[in-house]
Amino acid sequence: MTDQGPAFQISPHSHVFLGPDHERAERRTWAVIILCTIMMVAEIVGGALFGSLALIADGLHMSTHAGALLLAALAYTFARKYAEDPSFTFGTGKFGDLAGYSSAIVLAMIALLIGYEAVSRFLDPVPIAFNEAIPIAALGLLVNSASAWLLAGGHHHEHGHSHGHTHDHDHDDDHDHDHADDMHHRDNNMRAAVVHVMADAAVSVLVIVGLLLARTFGWLWMDPLAGLIGALVIASWSVALIRDTGAILLDRTPDPGMAEKVRVAIESDGDRVTDLHLWRLGPGHLGAIVSVATSAPREVADYRQKLAHFHDLSHVTVEVQRL
């Protein structure tokens, strides 16, 4: 005989698994898009008026920057708009992870392009218009710094949920569990947006240093070297983002430490967990399916009570198998 039921309530419950900072993050992302669009138009128009090809090129680069952020903003918007659409079985909390994964792929491609251009310039150096290139790089750094500030403005780690839970830990949590806990609370959509502007900012810093050294000492090879270092930094960030978001999209267990604690809690009275699935539904929200084999006269409600203190478990199904 098998009894099935949700772990916390029997009545229909919410499948909204968005992060607690979702709407504020959405507003910040749209604000940065507006800033980038203004700068893009100003650079392209200014370049056309003053005959600066470099300024036009930087404006076109800014358009790719705005496009990547648009992906993040749309992910926030669609996740919120369809949060209660029943056709999304486990809600729309993974929209941000999908957008983050896509942004990471774009970042990897940008790193490859920068790396290719850097190697080409090592082999075939090109003349550099220092008086135009340095101010444009400084302008890019300024815009990216402002973008990073806007994206991070007022952001802090809130571990509450839309269900009204507050987040706590047992005092014996180890470092690995704390790290995993941070990972499954992380907003990867915002992370991807910040990584994108930080990557641009890092490249701008390297370019400015490379250009200044090249102009001062005649070391033209410093410019492609700076580009190559920037490409490696961006590639490193994109790989980490692909790894983390890919694991979520494939429903990899986000926190083995919590999975083990769930198992221990269920088996504390001699029952046996025969199957356990734990996955991330959205920032700060975990789903779980637990199958329990027992010879005791326990009901699903008993196991709900055992799991009630795991506040990150926003959607749980318990199956009881009678021995």
Side-chain angles (χ1 to χ4, degrees):
M1 177 181 177
T2 298
D3 296 331
Q4 281 187 290
F8 299 130
Q9 64 253 37
I10 298 175
S11 59
H13 53 281
S14 172
H15 286 80
V16 178
F17 303 125
L18 305 181
D21 200 34
H22 187 93
E23 292 187 8
R24 185 163 44 176
E26 180 182 351
R27 290 192 298 270
R28 291 200 303 270
T29 307
W30 282 113
V32 172
I33 290 172
I34 292 171
L35 172 64
C36 291
T37 302
I38 292 172
M39 290 304 305
M40 175 189 72
V41 173
E43 287 186 326
I44 293 175
V45 172
L49 290 176
F50 302 114
S52 172
L53 182 61
L55 202 57
I56 293 174
D58 196 63
L60 294 175
H61 168 73
M62 189 64 69
S63 70
T64 65
H65 182 58
L69 290 169
L70 181 61
L71 179 64
L74 290 176
Y76 281 124
T77 300
F78 281 114
R80 174 178 51 79
K81 182 178 179 180
Y82 296 104
E84 298 188 31
D85 186 337
S87 65
F88 292 97
T89 304
F90 287 108
T92 58
K94 288 186 180 180
F95 262 84
D97 299 301
L98 180 59
Y101 183 86
S102 302
S103 290
I105 296 294
V106 173
L107 280 169
M109 294 174 63
I110 290 173
L112 286 174
L113 289 173
I114 294 175
Y116 174 80
E117 182 65 22
V119 172
S120 298
R121 293 196 176 200
F122 269 123
L123 300 176
D124 186 19
V126 298
I128 302 172
F130 294 107
N131 291 335
E132 281 191 343
I134 292 174
I136 290 173
L139 178 63
L141 177 60
L142 180 64
V143 172
N144 286 312
S145 298
S147 297
W149 179 80
L150 282 172
L151 288 173
H155 181 65
H156 57 284
H157 294 288
E158 298 175 59
H159 297 316
H161 303 319
S162 61
H163 298 144
H165 297 317
T166 57
H167 181 71
D168 57 13
H169 289 292
D170 295 334
H171 293 296
D172 62 346
D173 281 356
D174 57 24
H175 179 268
D176 290 340
H177 174 67
D178 287 340
H179 175 69
D181 179 76
D182 289 341
M183 289 293 289
H184 71 70
H185 281 89
R186 178 177 288 169
D187 180 348
N188 284 313
N189 195 25
M190 178 57 68
R191 176 187 175 194
V194 171
V195 164
H196 194 90
V197 298
M198 290 301 294
D200 265 5
V203 170
S204 295
V205 170
L206 289 168
V207 166
I208 291 170
V209 172
L211 289 172
L212 288 173
L213 290 174
R215 185 177 68 176
T216 303
F217 300 105
W219 299 342
L220 293 182
W221 50 268
M222 277 301 303
D223 181 58
L225 177 61
L228 187 59
I229 294 172
L232 292 174
V233 171
I234 295 173
S236 173
W237 289 346
S238 68
V239 167
L241 194 54
I242 289 171
R243 182 187 64 239
D244 294 343
T245 53
I248 292 169
L249 295 174
L250 292 172
D251 292 331
R252 186 177 184 181
T253 300
D255 188 349
M258 176 172 282
E260 181 59 25
K261 288 189 173 187
V262 169
R263 183 183 298 276
V264 169
I266 294 295
E267 295 182 342
S268 60
D269 292 326
D271 298 324
R272 181 166 55 91
V273 173
T274 59
D275 197 18
L276 173 60
H277 300 276
L278 187 70
W279 73 101
R280 175 170 142 149
L281 300 166
H285 297 276
L286 298 179
I289 298 175
V290 187
S291 294
V292 187
T294 182
S295 57
R298 297 191 183 96
E299 303 298 331
V300 170
D302 298 312
Y303 299 104
R304 292 187 201 134
Q305 186 61 38
K306 287 187 176 185
L307 297 178
H309 69 284
F310 293 107
H311 299 305
D312 290 340
L313 298 181
S314 301
H315 190 287
V316 181
T317 299
V318 175
E319 178 186 60
V320 179
Q321 301 171 336
R322 306 295 180 189
L323 296 178

